[in-house]
Amino acid sequence: MAPDADKLRQRKPTQEDSAATEPTDKISTLKGLGGTEIAIDGVIYDIKDFDHPGGESILIFGGNDVTIQYNMIHPYHTSKHLEKMKRVGKIPDYSSERHAIGYLLTPMFPPPRSVRYKFDTPFEREIKKEVFKIVRRGREFGTWGWHIRAVFYVSLFFGLQYLWMTAPTSITLAIFYGVSQAFIGLNVQHDANHGAASRKPWVNNLYGLGADFIGGSKWLWMEQHWTHHTYTNHNDKDPDALGAEPMLLFNDYAPDHPKRSFIHRFQAFYYLFILAGYWISTVFNPQVLDLRHSGALAVGIQMDNDYVKKSRKYAIFLRLVYIYCNIVAPLVNSNGGSVMQVLGHILVMSIAESLALSVLFALSHNFEHADRDPTYEARQTGEPVCWYKSQVETSCTYGGHMSGWLTGGLNFQVEHHLFPRMCSGWYPYIAPTVREVCKKHGVKYAYYPWVHQNLISTVKYLHQAGTGSNWQDGNPYTGKL
């Protein structure tokens, strides 16, 4: 759902809005949603003319059921929020249709036996109540410290980019420039594309373009990342868990699963080499041409709306600019240097950025004793599992303030998945409270004091996932072993 979405509560409905929220006779299915229509709890809303405080980026999910995204982004949700949008119809037999395509339900509908997740649990209510005592409503956006760090990382990036384009390249410059791009991805664009950098949409949109300035795409990123947040470590719906297949298995499949092969037994030894190719796979990803992320598409997200189509030309233009600045310009301005040498430096730069980003990303949800199948119990018993609980038990946190300054708060992955619309600058302050509430409710909270401890755990997990050793005594994700 949209950046700055929880500010719906601050917008007063107009007379036209009040009339527009009245139900109509339109009956539809999820497949029949229009490009500016969204479904929330079985009710269809048209957001084409909705003056959303988060800006037009909410249109990226037009044509989809966004119930789970809506719940994630609106921690202060009440029924009054939805009354401000234009209601145009409803979806019949909503619960069973939602299950058929793998979406989630909220407490507004009685959960059938097949539902996977639930909201408004005692754990969710208490963790919100305690955290909101620390971060008051309206203060969850970027702190002064965060904005100072963002300006520093942006300045560092453009300074090194100027040298990269105009001065002779070198291995040292390639490493520093690659890492500076990773800093943008970790510290700037991530908060912005979560709508957490500022309450002003134009600030989030501007910082969010950092994804394009480091070789990615903010639109593809939003399609993938919000799907990842929706289905974290889900056995077949988390695009982050599936993205490295078939070379790497982040999912701990059963020993006889067809996705397993002999090579995976050694993935703990070669996974860094695979992650080192992240830059190449991103910069030359043809999905930038149509902005339809394959991971989100596989889950059933529709990405053919007018907003996505309109954004394609900007995404392609920014990708061409990136290729010129980072590949063409260094070759043209090599000042008589060897073409192969410059290409070698470009490769070093790409590896530096790739490892600085992907190694840290890999730590977040791939570690010993992580819940790699959070909906197993729901599938077996029909009893839904707490979505907030699943976010904690599929994520981990390491380090403290210093790690947060370098990683954009992504070391506080538990806190981030619980409160994805909160600026990362707040996570060190809420982490102790989150741990206390988790302990009270018997929710497993994984914490590593040092990043190298998390890295060791990740390598061990990758070996276990590759060999299937966790399954020696039966399914390790039943909650009973």
Side-chain angles (χ1 to χ4, degrees), residues 101-153:
I101 64 170
Y103 280 96
L104 318 178
L105 281 177
T106 66
M108 297 177 66
F109 279 80
R113 182 172 175 78
S114 58
V115 174
R116 304 294 198 252
Y117 294 98
K118 62 182 175 181
F119 289 89
D120 198 33
T121 62
F123 173 64
E124 175 188 344
R125 291 194 295 267
E126 181 163 359
I127 204 163
K128 285 181 177 180
K129 181 183 72 173
E130 296 302 319
V131 167
F132 295 158
K133 292 178 182 178
I134 302 170
V135 184
R136 299 294 183 181
R137 294 176 64 168
R139 296 185 58 199
E140 64 268 26
F141 303 104
T143 62
W144 279 107
W146 184 90
H147 284 287
I148 290 172
R149 291 192 296 275
V151 171
F152 169 76
Y153 287 126

Side-chain angles (χ1 to χ4, degrees), residues 429-475:
Y429 301 100
I430 70 171
T433 297
V434 170
R435 293 173 205 169
E436 290 178 7
V437 177
C438 288
K439 182 178 180 181
K440 177 180 177 180
H441 287 263
V443 177
K444 299 176 183 177
Y445 183 107
Y447 174 68
Y448 299 91
W450 299 95
V451 64
H452 73 272
Q453 296 170 323
N454 197 166
L455 178 60
I456 292 172
S457 182
T458 294
V459 173
K460 288 182 178 180
Y461 167 75
L462 285 174
H463 180 66
Q464 294 164 355
T467 60
S469 61
N470 284 333
W471 293 76
Q472 290 180 353
D473 299 318
N475 188 339

Side-chain angles (χ1 to χ4, degrees), residues 163-325:
L163 294 176
W164 182 254
M165 295 178 63
T166 60
T169 58
S170 67
I171 292 179
T172 301
L173 177 58
I175 294 174
F176 277 96
Y177 180 46
V179 172
S180 76
Q181 294 187 62
F183 280 148
I184 296 294
L186 296 168
N187 293 274
V188 181
Q189 72 85 24
H190 187 270
D191 276 275
N193 285 323
H194 269 285
S198 172
R199 66 173 65 251
K200 299 177 180 179
W202 71 266
V203 175
N204 290 318
N205 290 334
L206 182 62
Y207 276 143
L209 289 173
D212 298 83
F213 279 89
I214 64 172
S217 166
K218 67 168 291 183
W219 298 277
L220 287 173
W221 186 93
M222 292 174 70
E223 292 170 355
Q224 175 185 4
H225 199 67
W226 282 117
T227 307
H228 159 66
H229 271 267
T230 304
Y231 301 109
T232 309
N233 278 12
H234 193 285
N235 61 318
D236 61 7
K237 289 182 171 61
D238 183 352
D240 283 16
L242 304 172
E245 295 178 358
M247 296 302 299
L248 290 177
L249 295 184
F250 286 121
N251 275 335
D252 190 3
Y253 296 111
D256 59 348
H257 197 281
K259 287 189 176 182
R260 286 192 174 277
S261 68
F262 177 76
I263 190 67
H264 295 133
R265 293 178 173 271
F266 309 100
Q267 67 177 15
F269 300 99
Y270 68 75
Y271 89 102
L272 289 179
F273 294 97
I274 301 299
L275 297 185
Y278 175 75
W279 181 90
I280 294 176
S281 67
T282 300
V283 173
F284 300 103
N285 185 348
Q287 292 173 15
V288 74
L289 299 176
D290 62 6
L291 294 185
R292 301 175 73 217
H293 190 276
S294 59
L297 193 64
V299 174
I301 302 295
Q302 301 300 313
M303 292 162 283
D304 288 321
N305 58 64
D306 289 341
Y307 175 79
V308 171
K309 293 177 180 178
K310 180 185 70 173
S311 301
R312 289 170 182 166
K313 57 181 177 291
Y314 303 117
I316 294 172
F317 171 75
L318 289 169
R319 182 61 54 84
L320 292 175
V321 170
Y322 182 85
I323 291 174
Y324 173 80
C325 292

Side-chain angles (χ1 to χ4, degrees), residues 22-78:
E22 292 299 320
T24 69
D25 294 329
K26 176 178 178 179
I27 304 295
S28 182
T29 64
L30 291 177
K31 292 183 178 180
L33 291 177
T36 59
E37 294 176 342
I38 59 173
I40 300 175
D41 288 314
V43 179
I44 303 172
Y45 301 91
D46 192 330
I47 56 176
K48 178 180 179 181
D49 299 318
F50 180 51
D51 183 18
H52 195 285
E56 67 173 0
S57 59
I58 64 167
L59 295 171
I60 195 170
F61 286 120
N64 291 279
D65 183 312
V66 294
T67 303
I68 182 62
Q69 292 92 334
Y70 179 82
N71 278 271
M72 286 193 302
I73 303 307
H74 296 79
Y76 309 107
H77 165 73
T78 69

